[in-house]
Amino acid sequence: MVDIAHQAAINPASANDATATRELVILASIEPGQWRALAQRAIEPNGYYLPGWELAVSATARDRTDASALPAFNGPSTRLIGLMPVISLWRAWKIPLPALVSAHPYGTLCSPLIDRDAVVEASTRLLQRARDAGAHALILRDVALEDAAMASLNEALGRSGLKPRVLSSYIRASLDATQDGDKLLYEALGAKKLKELRRQRHRLEEHGPVVFDVARKPDEIKSALETFLQLEASGWKGKRGTALIQDVGDATFIRRAVPALAETAQCEIITLRAGATPLAAGIVLRHQDRAFFFKLGIDERFAKYSPGVQLTLELTRHLCADPAIASADSTASADHPMINPIWRGRFAIGDVLIPLRRNDPVVMLIHAALIARGCARDATRRAIHLLRKQAKTTPPPAR
């Protein structure tokens, strides 16, 4: 059953579908120049699907390697007008049904790259490419539900009498960087909170002058990256074993991706220091007029002075002062306790099931399997939460 489903996800499903057979291609085979040109023309920015980033993810990142691709080309020409990195449904969630799932690029955004000069054609060809590969459905994970890329796919689906189904969604924080940074922070946090943060910053200054640095050039960003990696591993992520530097594949990916994007001015590392001591650091991607706040690491010895918040305040001012940036995606979880009070913009992120054929019973099976998986996952999370809560309240055994 598993082998059949795997083959169905990569081969044409029928003779009719095979009239223009185009199997999935290896993501690494997409010509980088074409990919970069498409990214420049993309109707919706996605820093995590830039070639320098996603190729590094697919090469070595933990549980994210060897992605395939659905490419779309402009008619008989070879101009790339659409790109959707994908993996099989079996590989994503061990569900043996013929569907493709957007490849997760580490950052929580999988909106495909669609050419703004060929919106409907690119979307239509991406969907057809998936059909030609034998898929009955596409599952897009973590897509911006109301932005231009999803709207273009909706239009292409509508022309075929199809409708997407939102499987799950949440609201994520974003920054309107067209505003004055200090005014925005005052409106978001208020005078009392800002006064408390200034007091904490003064306490940090007891350890040396507090300085905000931005590393952009490839030769300076490598050193800043190592500072970030050490800070991230020194905190709770290190204790859980999920820090980037703790996995060989993840460490290789990030050390490849960051300098590669720095070469095209699409990545920077921000650092807050007190004297020579790094307090907090973060990785920020840039694509077109949007920034993406990837990860944050702090020195938890200074936690009571809110170094992560202090760094985010400086990042807010930095982005608002940059005329090239109009908005920033926090790429954070729903109700994130640190970023949500500071960045007050909101937009909807979700997982979407896209049927590829009308009245297809296989799509119903896929939908049911995804619902069952979600229920099982929620039950597991509740059980883990309960166990952790009990562990905190149960007294240790007497000795």
Side-chain angles (χ1 to χ4, degrees):
M1 181 68 171
V2 171
D3 290 340
I4 292 172
H6 179 70
Q7 290 300 318
I10 61 173
N11 292 320
S14 68
N16 290 334
D17 291 333
T19 54
T21 299
R22 298 171 181 172
E23 294 184 1
L24 292 177
V25 299
I26 299 171
L27 185 67
S29 70
I30 302 296
E31 203 279 312
Q34 283 260 43
W35 191 341
R36 284 191 290 270
L38 170 61
Q40 291 177 348
R41 302 189 307 271
I43 194 171
E44 188 67 34
N46 184 354
Y48 301 112
Y49 275 167
L50 291 169
W53 185 270
E54 175 59 5
L55 286 173
V57 170
S58 185
T60 67
R62 175 171 35 186
D63 300 327
R64 291 171 170 84
T65 57
D66 302 321
S68 299
L70 293 174
F73 295 94
N74 184 21
S77 76
T78 58
R79 183 164 71 96
L80 187 67
I81 59 173
L83 183 65
M84 187 182 298
V86 293
I87 58 176
S88 71
L89 182 57
W90 171 253
R91 185 176 167 195
W93 294 312
K94 297 297 183 288
I95 298 175
L97 291 170
L100 294 169
V101 181
S102 52
H104 217 281
Y106 233 115
T108 51
L109 187 66
C110 297
S111 299
L113 300 181
I114 294 174
D115 194 327
R116 62 172 174 263
D117 298 326
V119 172
V120 177
E121 180 186 3
S123 299
T124 301
R125 289 182 181 274
L126 284 173
L127 298 176
Q128 187 58 47
R129 189 86 187 218
R131 293 186 191 100
D132 292 343
H136 286 243
L138 284 171
I139 296 99
L140 303 186
R141 296 187 280 187
D142 291 324
V143 294
L145 296 177
E146 299 174 357
D147 283 348
M150 194 64 225
S152 66
L153 289 169
N154 284 337
E155 183 175 354
L157 286 167
R159 295 187 177 196
S160 299
L162 297 167
K163 292 183 179 180
R165 305 177 189 181
V166 177
L167 300 170
S168 62
S169 65
Y170 68 94
I171 302 301
R172 186 151 88 195
S174 63
L175 170 70
D176 178 2
T178 63
Q179 301 185 53
D180 175 79
D182 286 319
K183 180 180 178 182
L184 184 149
L185 291 172
Y186 182 84
E187 291 176 350
L189 298 173
K192 183 177 180 181
K193 180 62 176 179
L194 287 174
K195 181 178 180 181
E196 171 62 17
L197 288 168
R198 285 194 297 270
R199 184 193 69 79
Q200 292 177 345
R201 185 180 177 110
H202 291 325
R203 295 298 304 273
L204 288 172
E205 289 174 346
E206 295 173 4
H207 301 271
V210 175
V211 178
F212 174 71
D213 290 330
V214 181
R216 297 189 184 92
K217 297 178 181 179
D219 58 341
E220 63 185 13
I221 208 167
K222 291 181 180 180
S223 174
L225 174 60
E226 295 306 315
T227 297
F228 164 82
L229 291 173
Q230 293 300 324
L231 283 172
E232 187 194 36
S234 71
W236 64 267
K237 292 179 184 178
K239 294 175 184 176
R240 287 190 181 181
T242 59
L244 288 168
I245 203 172
Q246 292 176 301
D247 180 84
V248 173
D250 282 351
T252 301
F253 134 65
I254 200 66
R255 286 174 173 143
R256 174 183 172 186
V258 165
L261 290 190
E263 291 281 357
T264 54
Q266 292 176 311
C267 183
E268 56 191 26
I269 294 182
I270 54 173
T271 307
L272 191 72
R273 290 185 174 85
T277 303
L279 307 169
I283 299 176
V284 180
L285 277 58
R286 301 164 69 102
H287 183 199
Q288 296 182 10
D289 64 350
R290 191 169 300 168
F292 301 84
F293 197 0
F294 173 53
K295 278 185 180 292
L296 170 70
I298 69 168
D299 186 335
E300 293 190 357
R301 295 176 300 172
F302 299 91
K304 63 182 178 180
Y305 305 127
S306 306
V309 174
Q310 302 286 352
L311 179 71
T312 303
L313 298 184
E314 294 293 347
L315 174 62
T316 303
R317 297 183 181 102
H318 167 63
L319 294 175
C320 288
D322 188 341
I325 297 297
S327 64
D329 182 349
S330 68
T331 61
S333 58
D335 302 319
H336 193 280
M338 189 278 286
I339 199 73
N340 278 27
I342 303 173
W343 290 6
R344 293 300 183 97
R346 298 291 185 266
F347 68 106
I349 287 284
D351 295 347
V352 179
L353 173 65
I354 294 179
L356 297 174
R357 297 168 177 81
R358 296 181 67 180
N359 303 318
D360 185 355
V362 177
V363 174
M364 296 176 63
L365 290 174
I366 293 168
H367 192 196
L370 291 171
I371 291 174
R373 174 188 172 273
C375 292
R377 181 182 57 186
D378 291 343
T380 300
R381 286 178 176 173
R382 286 194 296 270
I384 292 173
H385 176 75
L386 181 60
L387 289 172
R388 287 177 176 171
K389 186 177 180 180
Q390 290 176 340
K392 289 180 180 179
T393 57
T394 302
R399 295 191 179 186

